Amino acid sequence: MASTASEIIAFMVSISGWVLVSSTLPTDYWKVSTIDGTVITTATYWANLWKTCVTDSTGVSNCKDFPSMLALDGYIQACRGLMIAAVSLGFFGSIFALFGMKCTKVGGSDKAKAKIACLAGIVFILSGLCSMTGCSLYANKITTEFFDPHYVEQKYELGAALFIGWAGASLCIIGGIIFCFSISDNSKTPRMGYTYNGATSVMSSRTKYHGGEGDFKTTNPSKQFDKNAYV
């Protein structure tokens, strides 16, 4: 029962992490920068993996998509590949988890389901590592440019999408680790063994009973009475 509960918790944690990781791809604010006036913010610059935009004080946004994938910076291409890989691995990990959990009716025997659950845990861990690496690579580029005194272009700060990606990656890794430990819990579960010794006859059971009692003696009842007892 404890193993089943841990698998359910691992599945919920892993799925929550995968949803958070998937939500980072369409999220706008991967990096953000503002230009402040005397009273209000005059413009807000923000960008993600697909486009760069600017929003003025009236709330009107003007965006420009990246023109060519081959002309992009290397870190953006790497982040795209890592995040897409994280989403794909999380999808397959959720399928493996459904087949490997004890509370489902598919997947075969308990031993086979434990192996599938362990495989789902490994896939979720890989998904979390891909997301963690992609977000960290993007954040490292932002911080490097921000603290570089010789960088004269527009400087950005960390956006909300990076924190969402880190949170989702952490949940995927935690859920994957719990899934991996489920195979050890199944191996430690004791199994009851039953042996069949064959049918025992009534006479053999009586013989065993009389032979096992040391103080019990079988006597012939007819020898306890003489002839005068019936007169």
Side-chain angles (χ1 to χ4, degrees):
M1 183 63 69
S3 178
T4 304
S6 63
E7 287 180 351
I8 294 175
I9 294 174
F11 181 75
M12 296 177 63
V13 171
S14 301
I15 291 297
S16 300
W18 176 59
V19 171
L20 290 178
V21 171
S22 301
S23 66
T24 58
L25 284 176
T27 303
D28 294 329
Y29 296 98
W30 277 67
K31 60 180 180 180
V32 61
S33 179
T34 58
I35 298 177
D36 299 328
T38 56
V39 179
I40 61 175
T41 300
T42 59
T44 301
Y45 294 87
W46 50 272
N48 55 17
L49 298 178
W50 316 103
K51 59 186 177 180
T52 179
C53 301
V54 58
T55 304
D56 57 17
S57 59
T58 61
V60 178
S61 299
N62 295 316
C63 297
K64 179 183 178 181
D65 295 332
F66 294 135
S68 174
M69 184 181 68
L70 300 178
L72 289 176
D73 295 332
Y75 78 98
I76 296 181
Q77 295 183 10
C79 290
R80 280 184 178 182
L82 288 170
M83 296 306 296
I84 293 174
V87 174
S88 301
L89 288 172
F91 173 75
F92 289 108
S94 61
I95 294 177
F96 291 148
L98 289 174
F99 281 93
M101 295 176 64
K102 287 184 177 180
C103 57
T104 58
K105 300 297 184 181
V106 292
S109 61
D110 291 342
K111 186 176 181 180
K113 291 172 74 69
K115 292 181 179 180
I116 297 175
C118 183
L119 177 62
I122 295 174
V123 174
F124 274 122
I125 291 174
L126 291 177
S127 175
L129 290 177
C130 288
S131 176
M132 186 77 70
T133 305
C135 294
S136 300
L137 182 62
Y138 198 93
N140 179 68
K141 182 66 175 180
I142 296 173
T143 54
T144 301
E145 293 177 352
F146 187 86
F147 292 107
D148 187 4
H150 303 287
Y151 188 78
V152 296
E153 297 182 9
Q154 181 71 31
K155 293 185 177 182
Y156 291 87
E157 296 181 1
L158 303 179
L162 296 176
F163 298 98
I164 295 174
W166 282 326
S170 301
L171 291 177
C172 287
I173 293 174
I174 293 173
I177 291 174
I178 298 176
F179 267 124
C180 290
F181 279 118
S182 65
I183 189 171
S184 60
D185 294 338
N186 291 328
S187 62
K188 293 179 181 179
T189 303
R191 295 182 178 272
M192 299 298 295
Y194 298 94
T195 58
Y196 179 72
N197 296 324
T200 304
S201 62
V202 178
M203 294 300 297
S204 60
S205 61
R206 289 181 178 178
T207 305
K208 291 180 181 179
Y209 176 76
H210 293 307
E213 296 292 338
D215 298 330
F216 184 80
K217 296 181 180 179
T218 58
T219 56
N220 190 355
S222 60
K223 294 182 178 180
Q224 296 178 2
F225 305 98
D226 54 2
K227 295 185 291 182
N228 295 328
Y230 295 96
V231 177

